[in-house]
Amino acid sequence: MALTKKMGHASLKGKKPDNTSKVKRTVTNNPGRIKNKLKRSEMYGKYLLEKKARKRQTRIQREKEAEALGDDAEIRKQVTRTLDNTRETEVTTVQPDDDEILADEAEDEFAPYFSDEIRPKILLTTRPCPSAELFHFISDLMRFFPQLYYYPRKSFSVKEICTFGSNRKFTHLIVLSEKKKVCNGMLISHLRPSTAANGLGGPTAFFKVSNVIPSSDVPNNGSPTSHVPELVLNGFTTRLGHRAGRFLASLFPHNAQFQGRQVATFHNQRDFIFVRHHRYVFEEGNQINKDTGKKKTKARLQELGPRFTMKMRWMQEGTFDTQFGEYEWFHKRKEMDTTRRKFHM
C-alpha cells in the first residue's frame, strides 16, 4: 500500500496562504515594515498608485456632484487641516468687541504709548563679555527700533542697570544673551513707573530668540531709513497674547511716518513670534483698469532685515527680580503643552 505524504498548510511552513478568494487586496498601510528591499519598493509603488487613484476618484465624484447641482452648488474649497486651524479652544480667547478687555487696555501700563503721550526710549545692553558677532545683531536692532541706545554691560548687574536706566528717563531695557556667538535670548523690561503697576515699573518678559538672520544675509535687502515704521501685530488672540503684543508694540513710537513706507511686523503663529522689517513699494502693473483705462498699481515688499523668531518663556510683574518677583505667566512645557494643538498666545 503506497503511503501518501500529508501536506501541511502553507502558513505552518512560514509562507503566506494563497488568495483563493480572487479578491484584490488594497494596500492600505505604508509597507516600511517589510525587510526585503525589492519587495518593499514594489509594495510601496502599489501603495502610491492606489492612493493616487483614490484621490482621483474622489475628485471626479466631487466634480459630478457640483455639475449635477449646477448654479445652486455651493463652492466649498477643502481647507487643509493644520495645527493652526485645529488648535484647541483657549478659554481666554479675546473677542474684538469685548468691552471689558478694551477698558482694561485703556488703563494699563502701555496705554500712554498707544495714545502717543509718551515716546519710548530704549536702553540696550548684552551679557558680560559679548562676542564680536553679537554686535552685528545689535547694529541691526538699532536700525529696527527708533530711539534705541547701546551701553556696554561691563560688570553691572541687571538690577543696577534697571536703576540706571530709570534715573535717566529710559522707558525700556533690553538685555541680549548669546550662545556660540549667536543671540539666543532677549530680556525686555518696562522701566517707567505707572499707576497700573502701583507706581512701579514692569512688566518684564524673557523671550527665547532663534533663527537670527542679519540684514546683510537677507536676499535683496534694502537699507532702512530713519523714519518711524508702521506696526503690524498679527495672531495675538488670547489675554496673554494681547498683553505680550502690547508690550512689544510699546517699543515703537505710535506716530508712524508714512512717507518712509516701512513696516515692522510681529506675527504670532503657534506661540512663535516672527519678527520682520519691510518697505512697501508701489509700481505700475501690466494689467489695465477697465473703468479708468489706466494701468493698475501693484505693491511689492522689499525686506530690510533683520529676521529673527521669539518665543516667550515667562512674564514677571515689576522690573527684573528673579528672587522676589511675582510671575504673571511661566511656561511649564510638560504641564501646559499637553498636546501639539495647545497654544497660549
Side-chain angles (χ1 to χ4, degrees):
M1 182 177 177
L3 296 175
T4 58
K5 187 175 180 181
K6 187 176 180 180
M7 301 298 292
H9 195 269
S11 62
L12 300 178
K13 298 181 180 181
K15 300 178 181 180
K16 292 184 179 180
D18 296 332
N19 184 12
T20 56
S21 63
K22 305 300 181 183
V23 177
K24 184 179 179 181
R25 294 175 178 173
T26 304
V27 182
T28 56
N29 297 326
N30 193 329
R33 54 183 174 77
I34 301 176
K35 295 183 179 180
N36 187 289
K37 185 176 180 180
L38 294 176
K39 188 65 177 177
R40 184 171 65 245
S41 62
E42 178 186 351
M43 297 299 292
Y44 187 62
K46 292 181 179 179
Y47 165 75
L48 292 179
L49 288 175
E50 292 187 8
K51 183 179 178 182
K52 185 177 181 180
R54 286 196 300 271
K55 290 179 67 176
R56 184 172 179 271
Q57 290 296 330
T58 304
R59 188 182 73 252
I60 292 174
Q61 184 66 23
R62 247 189 349 258
E63 292 174 353
K64 287 182 178 178
E65 292 176 358
E67 187 178 354
L69 293 174
D71 296 336
D72 298 333
E74 183 180 356
I75 301 175
R76 297 179 180 177
K77 185 178 180 181
Q78 288 191 343
V79 180
T80 305
R81 286 173 56 87
T82 63
L83 291 178
D84 294 318
N85 58 27
T86 58
R87 65 179 292 177
E88 292 185 4
T89 304
E90 179 65 34
V91 295
T92 61
T93 301
V94 176
Q95 300 300 327
D97 54 350
D98 194 327
D99 295 333
E100 181 182 355
I101 302 299
L102 295 176
D104 290 343
E105 292 179 349
E107 299 177 354
D108 66 0
E109 304 95 323
F110 314 121
Y113 299 100
F114 280 80
S115 61
D116 201 27
E117 296 176 14
I118 300 172
R119 303 279 174 83
K121 183 181 177 183
I122 308 171
L123 188 155
L124 174 67
T125 188
T126 63
R127 71 178 185 91
C129 303
S131 67
E133 298 295 329
L134 187 61
F135 286 92
H136 296 295
F137 185 54
I138 291 173
S139 63
D140 286 338
L141 291 181
M142 296 185 73
R143 288 188 290 268
F144 181 59
F145 293 106
Q147 296 295 313
L148 185 143
Y149 303 90
Y150 170 73
Y151 283 76
R153 174 69 177 268
K154 297 184 179 179
S155 59
F156 298 103
S157 65
V158 176
K159 294 188 71 172
E160 291 174 334
I161 297 174
C162 288
T163 305
F164 170 85
S166 182
N167 293 336
R168 283 157 181 78
K169 305 302 180 181
F170 283 98
T171 60
H172 296 78
L173 168 68
I174 298 179
V175 182
L176 302 179
S177 58
E178 65 175 337
K179 184 178 181 181
K180 296 181 179 179
K181 300 183 179 181
V182 177
C183 180
N184 71 335
M186 182 181 294
L187 176 76
I188 306 177
S189 182
H190 181 238
L191 303 178
R192 180 180 174 273
S194 61
T195 55
N198 298 324
L200 303 174
T204 300
F206 178 75
F207 296 88
K208 179 184 175 183
V209 178
S210 59
N211 301 327
V212 177
I213 300 179
S215 301
S216 57
D217 293 344
V218 174
N220 302 319
N221 69 306
S223 299
T225 59
S226 59
H227 296 91
V228 177
E230 302 167 51
L231 191 60
V232 175
L233 300 175
N234 187 30
F236 299 92
T237 57
T238 64
R239 288 294 297 264
L240 177 66
H242 268 237
R243 186 148 176 79
R246 288 175 65 84
F247 190 15
L248 294 172
S250 68
L251 296 169
F252 290 84
H254 287 260
N255 62 330
Q257 297 172 342
F258 298 100
Q259 62 270 27
R261 305 193 311 278
Q262 296 183 158
V263 182
T265 305
F266 293 89
H267 174 73
N268 175 47
Q269 185 172 357
R270 305 179 194 173
D271 289 347
F272 289 93
I273 303 172
F274 299 92
V275 183
R276 298 293 185 268
H277 191 200
H278 289 94
R279 177 186 293 118
Y280 54 89
V281 182
F282 295 108
E283 294 179 343
E284 283 191 352
N286 297 324
Q287 298 180 355
I288 298 176
N289 192 332
K290 296 180 180 178
D291 298 331
T292 61
K294 298 180 180 179
K295 291 185 177 181
K296 292 183 178 180
T297 303
K298 64 178 183 179
R300 66 178 180 87
L301 294 177
Q302 180 187 29
E303 190 167 0
L304 307 178
R307 297 180 190 172
F308 57 98
T309 306
M310 307 167 68
K311 187 168 186 179
M312 190 165 71
R313 291 303 188 190
W314 51 261
M315 181 177 285
Q316 186 185 73
E317 293 181 357
T319 55
F320 179 79
D321 189 353
T322 55
Q323 188 174 3
F324 301 106
E326 295 185 5
Y327 289 93
E328 294 184 24
W329 182 81
F330 195 97
H331 183 231
K332 298 180 180 179
R333 183 174 57 85
K334 293 185 178 180
E335 298 178 14
M336 301 170 71
D337 297 346
T338 52
T339 64
R340 295 179 64 220
R341 292 176 172 82
K342 178 68 174 178
F343 305 117
H344 309 287
M345 296 175 61

